[in-house]
Amino acid sequence: MMEKIVINTSVPYEVLLENGLLGHAGEVTARVVEGRRVMIVCDGKIAPQYLNTVQDAFERNGFETSLCLLHGGEKGKTLATVEQLITAAAKADLGHDSLFAALGGGVTGDITGLAAALYMRGIDWIQLPTTLLAMADAAAGGKTAVNAAGEKNLLGAFHQPRLVLCDPEVLKTLPLPLLNEGMAEIVKYGAVGSTKLLDSIRNGERPEMLIAACIRMKAAIVEHDEHDRGQRRLLNFGHTFGHALERLNDFTIYHGEGVAVGMLIAAFAAVKHGLCPASVYEELRLLLKMNHLPVNTRFRAAEIARIALRDKKRNGDMITVVIPSARGRCELFSMPTRELEGFIACCDENVTACSEDKIREV
Ligand code: GLY
């Protein structure tokens, strides 16, 4: 049965979740947009798997399609790639009423969304996420960005898609590491706001149920804070340190792996500073390990703090970190930037020291 979740942002839109939905992308999209020209954006890994299905689905419903093929991966998340996409759109003669369709994971969505925000001062776009991470988190909410000046997601815009179509059938062939990294974001949603979701993860609930729970939570948060000025920032749990770990690893680790260890650093520090019960940290660690995610890093607190302080969440001499405060609850915790290293220094003896776990460090 189709799950429909409405995201009530400035321009409301639906997130639909149903097996086989990619094959119906054309008819569903035709109901919400006027234009009939679509440029499908995907990378060379996704194209052989789903491009024909999606292109057919659009053309059967009267859309004229064009294609922009990206070089996949976080390293391709640059302004140059956005320009490549915009050049392809201009060559395909796309006008104001055309749309971009991002077919792929979070990176494809981020690049396509930013190009849609910029092309002709903003055209419509839709998201066709093909990874667990993108379905559960990245595809809804309208955050778009590329990396710039050596910083993750420094250049971006809020530009809500007109539609998000999640087809959980594609998860059946998703490589295991990508399923695992998606689980890191799902654990994040549980930690931020749902003891029920934490229970479901522990009980091995089906991915489509977990995805729907995350999107419902995201809808409730984003509706009140579309532009990430308030409570939406809780969804950055694990990201300040996670982004630092991605950078320290020269983007060779998965985003979800960085987030997994980033959440543990924040949680362990919160416990040590008396801000959170130890059981919250223990459960997070267990859920991440259950999903074959790393729970250690070889980097020391000083290095992690140094990079984290270059993060967007820094505000002058203050930085806000998301910390857990109870099971299924997180809070925004601000501190002077000079105190960040000391705040997480305790992790050197735990999270950042490879201990009994023979799980890969990041
Ligand atoms: N990925 C977190 C957010 O969209 O706010």
Side-chain angles (χ1 to χ4, degrees):
M1 211 183 70
M2 186 185 290
E3 179 92 37
K4 177 164 61 169
I5 299 156
V6 178
I7 314 266
N8 275 309
T9 41
S10 38
V11 180
Y13 58 97
E14 290 174 352
V15 181
L16 304 179
L17 185 72
E18 191 183 34
N19 281 328
L21 204 47
L22 285 186
H24 298 278
E27 66 203 66
V28 186
T29 306
R31 285 188 220 134
V32 299
V33 299
E34 300 279 307
R36 289 293 177 269
R37 270 190 180 182
V38 57
M39 184 167 82
I40 303 166
V41 184
C42 65
D43 67 33
K45 279 200 187 120
I46 291 297
Q49 300 184 72
Y50 307 115
L51 183 57
N52 278 348
T53 305
V54 169
Q55 204 160 10
D56 269 11
F58 279 117
E59 289 180 358
R60 269 188 282 114
N61 286 277
F63 285 88
E64 196 181 301
T65 64
S66 56
L67 170 68
C68 181
L69 208 56
L70 303 176
H71 298 292
E74 187 71 31
K75 288 206 164 157
K77 238 177 81 168
T78 62
L79 201 52
T81 310
V82 171
E83 198 172 356
Q84 175 204 339
L85 206 153
I86 283 172
T87 305
K91 276 199 182 134
D93 213 14
L94 297 196
H96 284 110
D97 64 347
S98 307
L99 76 145
F100 295 159
L103 172 64
V107 170
T108 300
D110 272 353
I111 297 168
T112 309
L114 184 57
L118 296 173
Y119 188 65
M120 296 190 166
R121 301 199 180 92
I123 65 164
D124 286 343
W125 71 300
I126 64 164
Q127 290 251 40
L128 308 170
T130 58
T131 62
L132 182 58
L133 185 145
M135 288 187 203
D137 182 52
K143 274 191 183 174
T144 77
V146 293
N147 306 329
E151 312 235 353
K152 178 129 175 144
N153 296 338
L154 188 66
L155 201 63
F158 289 96
H159 187 47
Q160 300 295 339
R162 295 296 309 277
L163 190 64
V164 180
L165 303 182
C166 301
D167 180 349
E169 208 143 271
V170 307
L171 300 178
K172 289 184 185 149
T173 52
L174 193 69
L176 196 59
L178 290 176
L179 277 176
N180 296 339
E181 77 149 349
M183 286 306 299
E185 291 283 359
I186 291 173
V187 169
K188 176 193 82 176
Y189 275 89
V192 165
S194 172
T195 54
K196 195 165 158 227
L197 180 54
L198 291 171
D199 291 340
S200 301
I201 299 166
R202 198 188 273 234
N203 296 333
E205 181 58 275
R206 286 181 300 134
E208 36 293 34
M209 307 304 284
L210 301 176
I211 295 166
C214 294
I215 300 171
R216 272 189 236 106
M217 268 184 70
K218 187 159 196 178
I221 292 174
V222 169
E223 279 166 21
H224 290 103
D225 180 20
E226 186 170 343
H227 297 114
D228 213 16
R229 297 283 182 259
Q231 290 302 96
R232 183 170 180 174
R233 290 184 294 162
L234 293 173
L235 297 182
N236 296 328
F237 178 39
H239 283 61
T240 299
F241 304 123
H243 284 169
L245 291 171
E246 282 186 83
R247 271 187 52 90
L248 286 165
N249 281 281
D250 197 23
F251 296 106
T252 55
I253 61 169
Y254 289 104
H255 172 67
E257 294 179 325
V259 170
V261 179
M263 289 192 287
L264 290 180
I265 291 173
F268 190 76
V271 172
K272 288 294 162 191
H273 291 279
L275 303 165
C276 171
S279 56
V280 171
Y281 165 79
E282 297 299 341
E283 183 183 35
L284 272 179
R285 196 166 188 278
L286 175 79
L287 294 180
L288 296 170
K289 279 180 71 174
M290 267 173 60
N291 286 287
H292 315 287
L293 285 155
V295 292
N296 295 304
T297 173
R298 63 185 185 283
F299 292 100
R300 311 297 287 177
E303 294 169 282
I304 297 167
R306 181 174 57 82
I307 304 291
L309 284 171
R310 290 160 55 177
D311 195 271
K312 303 187 288 311
K313 283 105 196 162
R314 177 183 173 162
N315 191 359
D317 289 341
M318 298 294 286
I319 183 154
T320 301
V321 178
V322 184
I323 55 163
S325 53
R327 184 167 192 258
R329 195 160 75 227
C330 279
E331 282 172 17
L332 300 172
F333 186 73
S334 294
M335 71 188 89
T337 50
R338 65 177 183 283
E339 289 176 12
L340 185 69
E341 183 184 330
F343 184 70
I344 62 168
C346 52
C347 297
D348 278 344
E349 300 315 316
N350 188 291
V351 183
T352 64
C354 190
S355 56
E356 83 283 6
D357 306 292
K358 289 297 166 216
I359 295 178
R360 190 165 63 83
E361 302 168 285
V362 297

